[in-house]
Amino acid sequence: MPFADLTWEALEEWAGSKVVARGKSYRRAVEDLRTTADGRLLAWVQGGDRYATVVSLSKTRKLSSACTCPYAVACKHAVALMLTYLDAVQTGTSVPSAAAGDERLDRPAHGRAGGDPHEDGRGESGEPEGDGGGGGG
């Protein structure tokens, strides 16, 4: 379980405290959480739309994600996925394996690995600037 010892501080360092706080409120929106053979996590996360979200942890313990939302990386949907997984670990709930051809593995291809949550025109709120902001998805 490569993600099992991930800390709240590591999540905040990766995504920023505002995005982590918003992701916390999206935990109930995570659907069909799965693990992949190569150690990634994936799920559908319901926001303004239904987003395919994938999170990875490198051998050097660096988080990266891809999501079909406009934010694309280190988003509230990825944080919600992580928190849901950590809840499952804590409660001893097993997370099923994804099928080899799971469509979510191809969908977030436009997302970039890693990512500074405040680069590329994203504001301090952690959301894309100029899209009407706030809380839609």
Side-chain angles (χ1 to χ4, degrees):
M1 289 184 277
F3 295 94
D5 62 350
L6 195 66
T7 64
W8 187 264
E9 292 77 23
L11 279 176
E12 286 186 338
E13 183 179 314
W14 173 60
S17 60
K18 290 182 181 182
V19 174
V20 170
R22 294 195 67 198
K24 187 176 178 182
S25 69
Y26 273 73
R27 284 189 291 192
R28 287 194 175 105
V30 175
E31 302 169 354
D32 197 27
L33 176 64
R34 303 287 173 158
T35 59
T36 65
D38 61 1
R40 292 179 287 171
L41 301 174
L42 68 147
W44 292 110
V45 184
Q46 188 65 47
D49 286 311
R50 188 176 189 214
Y51 300 114
T53 309
V54 179
V55 178
S56 304
L57 187 64
S58 73
K59 291 179 183 175
T60 60
R61 313 275 309 146
K62 183 176 179 180
L63 283 167
S64 64
S65 67
C67 185
T68 55
C69 75
Y71 197 112
V73 297
C75 63
K76 61 190 172 192
H77 309 106
V79 170
L81 182 158
M82 288 297 311
L83 293 174
T84 301
Y85 176 77
L86 294 174
D87 286 347
V89 169
Q90 190 172 42
T91 61
T93 304
S94 65
V95 177
S97 297
D102 193 302
E103 69 177 302
R104 294 169 290 183
L105 292 170
D106 294 327
R107 288 185 143 209
H110 71 275
R112 293 166 290 119
D116 176 344
H118 304 294
E119 67 184 19
D120 300 328
R122 288 174 281 181
E124 187 59 32
S125 71
E127 294 298 323
E129 292 178 346
D131 73 342

